[in-house]
Amino acid sequence: MIFNQFGNKPQFFDALSVCENIPTVIKALEKHYSEATDFLNDAFSTFAETGERTDSKSVTYPYLLLHLRSKKADGINPSGFVSIRGPGWYGTSITHPEIFKDYLIDQLGLIERGYEVEYYVGASDEIIPVAFAIDPSTFEMKDGSAKTIGDYFALPDLKRIHDNLADGAIEQSNDEPLPLSLFPALRTDYSLQRLKHYTGTSPAHFQKFVIFTNYQRYVDEFIEHAKDVLGDGVHTGFSSPGVGLIKSAEDYKPAMDYKLPQMPAYHLMCDNNEGITLINIGVGPSNAKTITDHVAVLRSHCWLMLGHCGGLRNTQTLGDFVLAHAYLRDDQILDEMLPPTIPLPTIAEVQIALTNAISNVMKLSGKEMKQHVRTGTVVTTDDRNWEMRYASLRTRLNQSRAIAIDMESATIAANGYRYRVPYGTLLCVSDRPLHGEIKLPGSAEAFYRSRVAQHLNIGLEAVSIMKDAAQSGTLHSRKLRSLDDPVFR
């Protein structure tokens, strides 16, 4: 008998089956999920044709339960990747195991290196909402049927779709399994659906390094870069809204009349999803929170913000770069979930990668770099016309020693902190409103031509540098872990 275990068996333990190893775990999860969703699709097809449902059976997400027994004498605890409190029961519901297969294999393999593990897979107590299991565009509904969907099928249970676990808002009971993951199946499925809607691309195409930007010109440069490197033996494909997945540059033929989604995403794909996703989130902290709330379920290696900012110092010139070492959060969008009094630590590995990338791309070092790159505090505001209230902001900007202002960076960093995703910010000064240097058509065009490609290349180089750190575990900093984090990173 093992004393002082964490967690306990779930109430539905008798519905779970033992799995011998990680491959059988994955197969069991995939089998349960595919059978459940196939059943829902068949039932909904009948409903769409007749307006009735002949079988009222509810189907549930698969559940993955781990019983961590004794710690291996020669085992290790790779704390950057997993957070194990000790022997006991840990579990979570799972959705779309085909999307998370590599992630699950990676996490379970790391746990096995430290502990003797027993695996159980079976039906959870979370019912799959029909909206998360079907593609509505593939069904033609009988007139009036749409109004009665809720009479025959489960709809999303909003009481169970929340971030209480990520926000540390609940105390975990030792009478049930402790959580394996920050995001159970319902919360994950909700975000996967939102990602399709907002980005116009499949969640399966998202890569583990994500670059956020607030200007279309970065997208244009990224597309050209992707076309240049496709087929080089490293990059396996390119996915974009309105085009889908292509394998060669010649196949990139966007339709002229295609309407882009709100926050289009572009995926330069590599094996094991180790490539780069670039998302044009537009302007404002609301968009920044919305998209990062959903990208978080995919457990990225890193989030980078590459965009434009207003320079606040008279020593800056247009085109200079700003590497954020701290954030002044005036965006207000996350204050309820993460009070602005909570400090956001910089992630050393990301900062070093960005610094080295600047040096490599711009061929600068030492004093030369200081002439073109400023490090310090970036203030993120929710007011695009903040200049109109500069008199009331002046003291706050002065006390914070802010060197630049934008509308997205601190929001992304704060959500990276909330969701335990390493983050970093490199901005480019596009105007200096406090010093009379504003964006004018002529100067702006010259600025864009000279800086956007260089800025993006720095971001791409930083990702290249961080890949080794991601594999070794040093990128996934322990400073982002809470006192009682789930096991999976």
Side-chain angles (χ1 to χ4, degrees):
M1 178 179 294
I2 301 174
F3 295 98
N4 301 317
Q5 290 192 109
F6 291 97
N8 207 338
K9 299 176 184 177
Q11 293 182 351
F12 48 84
F13 178 77
D14 291 341
L16 306 180
S17 300
V18 175
C19 292
E20 294 181 0
N21 51 38
I22 295 174
T24 57
V25 166
I26 302 301
K27 288 181 181 179
L29 291 170
E30 291 176 335
K31 182 175 184 292
H32 183 103
Y33 181 77
S34 63
E35 288 178 351
T37 52
D38 286 348
F39 174 85
L40 276 178
N41 274 272
D42 290 342
F44 195 81
S45 179
T46 300
F47 172 78
E49 293 176 5
T50 67
E52 298 179 356
R53 181 175 176 181
T54 57
D55 191 332
S56 60
K57 182 180 77 171
S58 295
V59 292
T60 63
Y61 290 106
Y63 192 84
L64 172 60
L65 178 69
L66 271 59
H67 187 199
L68 273 58
R69 299 185 67 83
S70 58
K71 189 171 184 179
K72 292 179 178 178
D74 58 347
I76 62 169
N77 183 9
S79 54
F81 277 110
V82 294
S83 179
I84 302 173
R85 297 174 66 180
W89 298 91
Y90 300 83
T92 188
S93 52
I94 300 289
T95 188
H96 282 285
E98 80 284 0
I99 292 179
F100 295 97
K101 179 178 179 179
D102 290 337
Y103 172 74
L104 291 169
I105 291 173
D106 177 62
Q107 295 294 288
L108 295 176
L110 289 163
I111 294 169
E112 274 194 359
R113 292 170 64 181
Y115 281 80
E116 301 291 343
V117 187
E118 293 174 354
Y119 300 105
Y120 301 84
V121 172
S124 72
D125 61 352
E126 283 188 65
I127 297 175
I128 303 178
V130 68
F132 292 172
I134 67 167
D135 180 357
S137 66
T138 62
F139 297 96
E140 291 187 10
M141 299 290 293
K142 180 182 177 181
D143 290 346
S145 294
K147 296 179 180 179
T148 62
I149 291 176
D151 296 337
Y152 299 97
F153 296 93
L155 300 178
D157 183 357
L158 296 183
K159 295 190 298 294
R160 300 184 71 165
I161 300 175
H162 52 70
D163 280 326
N164 287 349
L165 185 56
D167 292 334
I170 54 176
E171 183 73 22
Q172 297 301 317
S173 170
N174 213 47
D175 294 333
E176 58 189 24
L178 295 188
L180 266 179
S181 171
L182 279 176
F183 305 106
L186 270 174
R187 170 66 173 84
T188 302
D189 246 348
Y190 169 73
S191 283
L192 296 181
Q193 296 293 323
R194 294 290 83 198
L195 285 174
K196 285 190 288 187
H197 171 73
Y198 285 119
T199 72
T201 54
S202 168
H205 293 170
F206 275 72
Q207 303 297 288
K208 293 179 181 175
F209 292 92
V210 182
I211 296 175
F212 301 101
T213 188
N214 51 13
Y215 280 91
Q216 177 64 30
R217 291 172 185 263
Y218 288 83
V219 173
D220 297 338
E221 290 291 339
F222 188 67
I223 291 171
E224 291 306 310
H225 169 74
K227 290 160 67 175
D228 287 341
V229 300
L230 271 181
D232 62 0
V234 175
H235 301 92
T236 59
F238 182 64
S239 172
S240 61
V243 177
L245 177 60
I246 62 172
K247 300 293 185 178
S248 65
E250 293 75 19
D251 295 329
Y252 185 76
K253 299 174 182 178
M256 297 298 293
D257 58 348
Y258 178 76
K259 304 299 183 183
L260 286 172
Q262 183 177 347
M263 289 180 273
Y266 302 80
H267 315 283
L268 183 54
M269 303 166 75
C270 294
D271 289 339
N272 197 29
N273 291 81
E274 295 282 344
I276 300 173
T277 288
L278 182 138
I279 308 175
N280 182 3
I281 63 175
V283 176
S286 180
N287 277 3
K289 177 189 181 297
T290 296
I291 196 65
T292 49
D293 277 347
H294 301 312
V295 175
V297 304
L298 296 172
R299 309 316 296 146
S300 312
H301 281 323
C302 184
W303 293 346
L304 291 181
M305 175 63 197
L306 302 183
H308 293 169
C309 65
L312 298 179
R313 301 304 180 95
N314 60 12
T315 55
Q316 293 169 310
T317 60
L318 299 190
D320 281 355
F321 290 113
V322 171
L323 177 58
H325 275 3
Y327 301 90
L328 177 61
R329 293 174 51 200
D330 272 353
D331 53 328
Q332 303 183 63
I333 195 79
L334 281 165
D335 288 3
E336 182 178 349
M337 286 72 77
L338 187 72
T341 53
I342 303 298
L344 302 181
T346 52
I347 310 302
E349 291 78 11
V350 180
Q351 300 298 97
I352 292 170
L354 283 168
T355 301
N356 290 340
I358 294 168
S359 178
N360 295 346
V361 172
M362 298 182 68
K363 309 300 181 186
L364 297 175
S365 61
K367 190 174 181 179
E368 289 180 313
M369 184 178 291
K370 287 182 176 292
Q371 292 177 350
H372 299 281
V373 182
R374 187 74 180 259
T375 61
T377 298
V378 170
V379 55
T380 293
T381 178
D382 62 350
D383 183 0
R384 180 58 189 88
N385 301 314
W386 63 270
E387 299 97 328
M388 296 171 61
R389 56 188 185 92
Y390 171 67
S392 62
L393 287 175
R394 182 184 181 281
T395 300
R396 185 162 169 79
L397 295 178
N398 217 14
Q399 290 177 337
S400 69
R401 310 298 193 265
I403 61 173
I405 186 167
D406 81 340
M407 299 188 69
E408 300 86 24
S409 294
T411 313
I412 290 171
N415 250 1
Y417 180 83
R418 282 181 72 210
Y419 296 128
R420 289 73 160 170
V421 179
Y423 49 85
T425 298
L426 182 68
L427 303 175
C428 191
V429 176
S430 60
D431 61 333
R432 297 194 310 141
L434 300 187
H435 308 284
E437 201 164 7
I438 60 176
K439 293 177 183 174
L440 297 173
S443 60
E445 185 62 33
F447 161 75
Y448 291 136
R449 284 198 304 269
S450 64
R451 278 292 184 264
V452 169
Q454 185 181 61
H455 195 182
L456 178 63
N457 285 335
I458 292 171
L460 299 177
E461 175 70 8
V463 168
S464 179
I465 293 170
M466 284 189 286
K467 279 190 175 182
D468 287 340
Q471 292 296 335
S472 66
T474 57
L475 180 59
H476 296 285
S477 175
R478 287 176 291 180
K479 65 169 64 78
L480 296 180
R481 291 285 195 179
S482 67
L483 299 175
D484 54 357
D485 249 22
V487 177
F488 291 171
R489 71 160 179 84

